[in-house]
Amino acid sequence: MLKCVQSMLSLSFLVTFAACDAPPVPLDDLVIEKTFVPEKCVRAVKVGDFVRYHYIGMFPDGKKFDSSYDRGSTYNVFVGKKQLIEGMDRALVGMCINERRLIKIPPELAYGKQGYGEIIPPDSILHFDVLLLDVWNPEDGVQINTYYRPSVCSRKVEVSDFVRYHYNGTLLDGTLFDSSHTRMRTYDTYVGIGWLIAGMDQGLLGMCVGERRIITMPPSLGYGENGDGSDIPGQASLVFDVVLLDLHNPKDGITVTNQAIPEPCSRKTVAGDFVRYHFNGSLLDGTFFDSSYSRNRTYDTYVGRGYVIAGMDEALIGVCVGERRSITIPPHLGYGEEGTGTKIPGSAVLVFDIHIIDFHNPSDKTKVTVTFKPQVCEKLTKKGDFVKYHYNASLMDGTSIDSTYNYGKTYNIVLGANQVVPGMEDGLLDMCVGEKRHIVIPPHLGYGERGVTGEVPGSAVLVFDIELIDMEEGLPEGYMFIWNDEVSPDLFLEMDKNTDGQVEASEVLCAISIC
């Protein structure tokens, strides 16, 4: 028999008192009608569990004597520990979250012959309409249900890592209390150092980027007896549906993966070089934020001089033309806590897939490699000579620009007459007819920062494979022409083809019909 408890507490605690001197009664005398049963029973009440539930207490004629709804708070209590009238203690066992029961309790399992003051008459049958909202046990820990894990998981969350994740937070009955999705902003925090409630600190450990899991925690690992003061009631179990978008550690440096290095690689970038490269930029979860390909233009910059984010500056050192690599950059080497404000969120890890198109140094000169030289090579080209040559022109990555072979005729110029870029002038000097050369021209000796619209990108290194077909000697330096024919009174104007007020060597040669 239960001890008879006398109390002056308000009716809100009515159901906490045991019946006085009630003899043992078969369970059959307790009538339980399940008015709603959820399709899935996540958890059922057991003896020793703590429950939160709403109820309406009525007499058989429908007259209400008490209601948790009227107080605006659930009734919270341990089950099977004699904190309830015996009928309620029994009736709650086996209930599922969101299940609703109509419980009819005979007086022997309620307040018996004494009743309860003026509210519950003696020998009263009590009806309770009960809705179970929460259940947990003091021995509960964090429960983790991973329902999606990516096939590739190169790294998992560890203590002291910084993470960015989205979540929906609900009570055990499904009531939403918070969501990062509605704010359209991730929750960003360190893990395992006390910045989070204990249950979340535990629940995030071991997650992979892209992983989704349900994290359920008892109030002892959540907001405890008092709740958060607004949306989370006291003694509430919490359920978080989490997707991890990003993780890094403050000690991280850049990571280089998926390298594809061309063979041969005769030169690698050093600090001070000017690099042209293509990239695709994404966040760690795969969210795309930028691409040079979409603009159909390389990204051009000096490296090792602070013109790009620190992680990219580091990653572009030591690369070859044609090399491809994936670069992972932690936020402290990227855009930091602030991000860029639109496409890149604060504290975001960045992933760049890059392709090196070309590079040069401002100190570079024209590089000439002789690929074939005739056995007899006595007469060499010099400034003032009229030369005819074939060429194939390309960019450093092999992209074809132009070829005289396509037109079936040579390219003809006067050396030293500024008819070609300075680098080509250098490459054509001291050649003999039949000689072949491979010429690499840096942009400051080529088409410069502007390039040639539609043909040569700005700041592009040029590659020419040339063959000298013919040459005609020009006059030695210091010689002068003697005009044998009748001289036109407008000879100067006729020779000054570009109307710059000067007659250059090329214009003189044109005047004697060798241009």
Side-chain angles (χ1 to χ4, degrees):
M1 292 176 55
L2 301 179
K3 183 179 179 181
C4 178
V5 181
Q6 302 294 330
S7 174
M8 296 300 292
L9 295 177
S10 68
L11 189 59
S12 63
F13 291 91
L14 175 66
V15 293
T16 62
F17 300 107
C20 298
D21 302 320
V25 178
L27 187 60
D28 290 345
D29 291 343
L30 181 68
V31 178
I32 298 174
E33 181 182 344
K34 298 181 179 181
T35 56
F36 176 78
V37 179
E39 292 184 5
K40 186 176 182 180
C41 184
V42 178
R43 180 169 182 173
V45 177
K46 296 179 181 179
V47 172
D49 284 345
F50 189 92
V51 295
R52 293 174 48 249
Y53 63 92
H54 270 305
Y55 72 89
I56 299 173
M58 301 168 289
F59 296 114
D61 61 359
K63 181 181 178 182
K64 181 173 71 174
F65 60 81
D66 193 16
S67 172
S68 62
Y69 296 99
D70 293 343
R71 294 188 298 275
S73 63
T74 55
Y75 193 78
N76 309 333
V77 69
F78 281 99
V79 175
K81 292 192 175 182
K82 300 182 180 180
Q83 295 179 0
L84 294 162
I85 55 176
E86 187 174 354
M88 185 64 78
D89 239 358
R90 295 185 185 183
L92 291 173
V93 174
M95 278 192 82
C96 301
I97 299 298
N98 287 324
E99 182 177 341
R100 193 163 191 163
R101 290 183 175 184
L102 180 59
I103 303 168
K104 300 176 181 179
I105 304 176
E108 295 83 1
L109 299 178
Y111 292 93
K113 296 184 178 299
Q114 288 188 350
Y116 184 77
E118 297 180 357
I119 301 172
I120 307 293
D123 295 319
S124 292
I125 297 173
L126 306 180
H127 291 186
F128 290 92
D129 185 352
V130 175
L131 174 63
L132 185 66
L133 300 181
D134 197 348
V135 56
W136 53 269
N137 192 280
E139 296 181 1
D140 286 349
V142 173
Q143 300 174 42
I144 296 173
N145 174 27
T146 297
Y147 63 94
Y148 174 77
R149 176 172 287 168
S151 57
V152 177
C153 179
S154 59
R155 182 173 182 177
K156 296 180 179 180
V157 176
E158 298 178 1
V159 171
S160 81
D161 281 347
F162 191 91
V163 296
R164 294 174 50 247
Y165 63 93
H166 270 304
Y167 70 90
N168 285 320
T170 63
L171 304 180
L172 206 58
D173 67 336
T175 301
L176 180 73
F177 61 79
D178 193 17
S179 174
S180 62
H181 296 281
T182 60
R183 293 188 295 273
M184 298 183 68
R185 183 175 181 180
T186 55
Y187 195 83
D188 308 339
T189 183
Y190 285 97
V191 176
I193 62 172
W195 284 24
L196 293 162
I197 54 176
M200 186 61 82
D201 248 354
Q202 295 178 30
L204 292 171
L205 291 175
M207 284 192 80
C208 308
V209 171
E211 182 176 337
R212 296 174 180 268
R213 55 171 60 173
I214 304 292
I215 303 171
T216 305
M217 63 193 71
S220 59
L221 299 176
Y223 289 93
E225 295 182 3
N226 298 321
D228 70 344
S230 57
D231 298 312
I232 300 174
Q235 302 288 25
S237 300
L238 306 179
V239 181
F240 291 91
D241 189 342
V242 174
V243 55
L244 184 65
L245 301 184
D246 198 340
L247 82 110
H248 74 276
N249 193 281
K251 298 178 181 179
D252 288 348
I254 67 167
T255 303
V256 177
T257 57
N258 301 324
Q259 283 183 277
I261 303 174
E263 293 291 344
C265 175
S266 58
R267 180 178 176 181
K268 295 184 177 181
T269 53
V270 296
D273 282 347
F274 190 89
V275 181
R276 294 174 55 244
Y277 64 96
H278 272 303
F279 72 89
N280 285 318
S282 63
L283 304 181
L284 203 57
D285 67 338
T287 301
F288 169 86
F289 62 79
D290 195 14
S291 173
S292 62
Y293 295 99
S294 64
R295 294 187 291 275
N296 198 29
R297 182 177 179 180
T298 55
Y299 193 85
D300 308 338
T301 185
Y302 286 97
V303 296
R305 294 290 185 265
Y307 288 151
V308 290
I309 56 175
M312 185 62 80
D313 231 5
E314 181 182 346
L316 289 172
I317 298 294
V319 294
C320 308
V321 170
E323 182 174 339
R324 296 175 184 269
R325 53 170 55 180
S326 294
I327 306 161
T328 304
I329 301 176
H332 50 275
L333 297 177
Y335 291 97
E337 295 182 3
E338 300 300 322
T340 62
T342 53
K343 295 182 179 180
I344 300 176
S347 301
V349 176
L350 309 177
V351 179
F352 290 93
D353 291 311
I354 65 170
H355 181 204
I356 305 300
I357 303 302
D358 79 19
F359 67 87
H360 72 278
N361 193 280
S363 63
D364 286 350
K365 298 179 179 179
T366 301
K367 182 179 179 183
V368 178
T369 304
V370 177
T371 58
F372 175 78
K373 197 161 193 171
Q375 290 183 351
V376 179
C377 180
E378 297 177 350
K379 189 182 294 186
L380 302 178
T381 57
K382 63 183 182 304
K383 288 185 178 180
D385 287 348
F386 182 72
V387 297
K388 298 179 180 181
Y389 63 97
H390 272 304
Y391 68 82
N392 285 316
S394 64
L395 301 179
M396 201 75 166
D397 66 342
T399 301
S400 177
I401 300 174
D402 195 14
S403 174
T404 56
Y405 296 100
N406 294 337
Y407 311 117
K409 60 180 182 180
T410 57
Y411 196 78
N412 309 330
I413 67 163
V414 176
L415 285 176
N418 296 323
Q419 294 177 342
V420 289
V421 295
M424 183 59 80
E425 292 268 14
D426 297 338
L428 286 167
L429 288 174
D430 299 319
M431 282 188 81
C432 55
V433 172
E435 185 177 338
K436 297 180 180 180
R437 291 181 173 182
H438 181 77
I439 305 172
V440 180
I441 303 174
H444 49 276
L445 296 175
Y447 291 103
E449 294 182 2
R450 293 187 177 184
V452 178
T453 304
E455 297 181 35
V456 180
S459 301
V461 177
L462 306 177
V463 179
F464 287 89
D465 288 299
I466 65 173
E467 179 183 3
L468 186 62
I469 303 302
D470 196 7
M471 64 173 285
E472 296 179 20
E473 276 192 282
L475 285 175
E477 189 173 344
Y479 278 58
M480 61 184 293
F481 286 100
I482 298 175
W483 212 269
N484 294 320
D485 296 330
E486 185 178 346
V487 179
S488 167
D490 298 318
L491 179 61
F492 182 85
L493 295 176
E494 292 173 0
M495 293 178 70
D496 186 18
K497 299 294 185 182
N498 60 6
T499 66
D500 64 350
Q502 302 179 59
V503 176
E504 299 175 354
S506 60
E507 293 172 325
V508 173
L509 292 171
C510 281
I512 59 176
S513 302
I514 62 170
C515 63

